Amino acid sequence: NERKALTCGGASSFEALETGRRRGEGANTGIGKAVARDLARRGARVILACRDQQRAEAARQDIVKETGSSQVLLMQLDLGNLQSVRSFAENFLKSESRLDLLINNAGVADRGKTADSFGLNFGVNHLGHFLLTNLLLDKLKASGPSRVVTVSSITYKMGKVDFSCLTTHRDVALGNSDRDAFIKYCHSKLCNILFTYELAKRLQGSDVTCYSLEPGMVNTEISRHGTFFTQVIWTLVGLLFSIDVDSGAQTILHCSLQQGIEHLSGHFFSRCAPLMNMEPKARDDATAKKLWELSETFCGLS
C-alpha cells in the first residue's frame, strides 16, 4: 500500500527531489532529513540537492544505514547562486528520467546577500526555488501525476511584499540587524505562499499539483550561522514551543503523498489540513501575479 501511494498512478518508479541549504534548514538536517528518510524507507528514489556536500554526504549515509535503501543520491545545489540552480537543473535533466515530487525545503534566516546580489532570505527562500521549479516543470509534467511542495511558515502573517524595495534594492526590506533578518524571513515566507498560489493557476489542466505548508515550530538548526543573540532567541522559542523533527515532517509528507487532495492545489497546509482562513494578502491575485513576473525578470526567464 505504501508503494502504491508512492508510485503516483502506476508509474514504474517514484523519484523525489529535496532541496537543502548549508546556512539554514534543508535536506541534510532537521525535518528535511526526516522527510528524506521516510521517503527512502517507502522505496522512493531520493535525491538530496544540497550546498554543503560534506554534511549532505553524512546525512545520506545515515539515511542509507537507517533504511537499507540504495536509492538515496546527492547532487550539488546552491540556491543562493542562480547559475548553480541552472547547472543543477541541466545535470538533473540529463541524468534522471522522471521527477514525481519536488520538495522545496531549503530555508535560511540570516543577513547578507546571495551571489547575485539579492537579499539572502529572498534569494534563497523564494527566488532560488522559483527558478528551480520553473526549470523542472516540463519534467514534472512529463512524469505526472506529480507534485511540488514548498515549505513556508506561519510567520507569513508578519510578512509583506514591497515591490518598490524589491525593484530598487533586490531585497524584501532594508536593514541588517537581527530583527531585520527575521522580518525579511517572514516576507520571504509570504513569497513562498504567493508563489504556490500563482503556480497552481498556471498548472491548471496539467497533472502537476502544488502545495505550500507550515511544519510547525520545529527545533532545527536554521539559526546556526546567525549571531549569538539570534541563536539564543531561536533556542528559547524552540524549548518553549517546538516539536520534534519527525512530527514536523508529517505535513510535508501529507502534502507529498496523500491521495485525494489534488483539488486543493495551491492551498496552504498546517497540521496535515488546508487552512481555509488565510489572510487576504496570501490570496491576492494581483500581488501573486506581479511577484511571479518580477521573479521571472530577476531569473532571466521573461
Side-chain angles (χ1 to χ4, degrees):
N1 287 338
E2 287 180 338
R3 182 62 184 175
K4 183 177 180 182
L6 281 164
T7 53
C8 293
S12 59
S13 64
F14 182 88
E15 181 150 333
L17 168 63
E18 184 176 15
T19 62
R21 169 74 180 176
R22 180 178 65 84
R23 298 187 64 178
E25 167 67 19
N28 61 355
T29 62
I31 54 177
K33 183 178 178 182
V35 169
R37 181 172 59 240
D38 187 284
L39 293 173
R41 186 173 286 126
R42 293 169 184 260
R45 176 179 171 87
V46 180
I47 296 178
L48 308 177
C50 304
R51 171 177 167 171
D52 188 331
Q53 295 293 281
Q54 183 175 358
R55 287 173 61 90
E57 175 58 24
R60 189 194 70 81
Q61 291 182 15
D62 286 345
I63 294 170
V64 169
K65 182 177 180 180
E66 293 172 19
T67 65
S69 172
S70 61
Q71 293 297 305
V72 182
L73 292 80
L74 174 62
M75 293 182 68
Q76 176 81 39
L77 171 63
D78 181 1
L79 287 163
N81 184 325
L82 297 182
Q83 183 54 50
S84 174
V85 176
R86 293 186 184 95
S87 297
F88 169 85
E90 181 180 357
N91 292 332
F92 179 88
L93 294 173
K94 286 180 179 178
S95 64
E96 302 300 324
S97 61
R98 64 182 301 111
L99 177 59
D100 303 281
L101 172 62
L102 170 61
I103 302 177
N104 291 322
N105 176 57
V108 61
D110 205 351
R111 298 173 291 180
K113 297 285 187 178
T114 69
D116 307 281
S117 298
F118 293 102
L120 188 64
N121 294 285
F122 173 74
V124 172
N125 298 352
H126 168 68
L127 205 58
H129 285 139
F130 175 87
L131 177 59
L132 178 65
T133 302
N134 275 277
L135 293 176
L136 298 180
L137 269 184
D138 286 344
K139 181 69 75 175
L140 285 159
K141 291 176 180 178
S143 306
S146 53
R147 296 183 182 185
V148 179
V149 175
T150 300
V151 180
S152 181
S153 168
I154 201 64
T155 60
Y156 88 88
K157 293 184 176 183
M158 291 181 278
K160 67 178 182 179
V161 182
D162 184 338
F163 288 107
S164 177
C165 191
L166 277 171
T167 302
T168 305
H169 301 285
R170 297 161 74 91
D171 203 351
V172 285
L174 300 179
N176 200 38
S177 69
D178 289 340
R179 179 183 180 278
D180 295 327
F182 175 71
I183 293 300
K184 291 178 182 182
Y185 173 81
C186 298
H187 296 338
S188 74
K189 295 291 103 177
L190 176 58
C191 290
N192 289 153
I193 296 172
L194 290 168
F195 160 63
T196 302
Y197 182 62
E198 179 68 16
L199 178 62
K201 297 179 186 178
R202 294 170 182 258
L203 289 174
Q204 287 179 1
S206 75
D207 266 344
V208 186
T209 54
C210 57
Y211 314 89
S212 61
L213 64 97
E214 66 99 6
M217 174 56 76
V218 184
N219 194 4
T220 69
E221 300 180 21
I222 192 168
S223 67
R224 69 175 182 267
H225 289 275
T227 65
F228 175 76
F229 175 77
T230 302
Q231 293 182 36
V232 168
I233 293 299
W234 280 100
T235 300
L236 289 175
V237 172
L239 289 173
L240 291 171
F241 302 109
S242 70
I243 57 178
D244 62 79
V245 292
D246 289 320
S247 297
Q250 294 311 302
T251 303
I252 301 177
L253 291 167
H254 178 86
C255 290
S256 300
L257 305 174
Q258 183 63 40
Q259 296 182 3
I261 64 171
E262 290 77 11
H263 66 290
L264 295 171
S265 183
H267 279 70
F268 178 79
F269 281 69
S270 177
R271 298 185 180 182
C272 298
L275 285 184
M276 297 304 185
N277 58 340
M278 296 290 289
E279 295 196 8
K281 63 184 175 183
R283 287 293 180 267
D284 188 290
D285 294 299
T287 301
K289 184 175 184 291
K290 188 173 181 178
L291 177 63
W292 184 284
E293 292 172 347
L294 182 60
S295 300
E296 284 184 324
T297 300
F298 282 157
C299 293
L301 294 177
S302 57

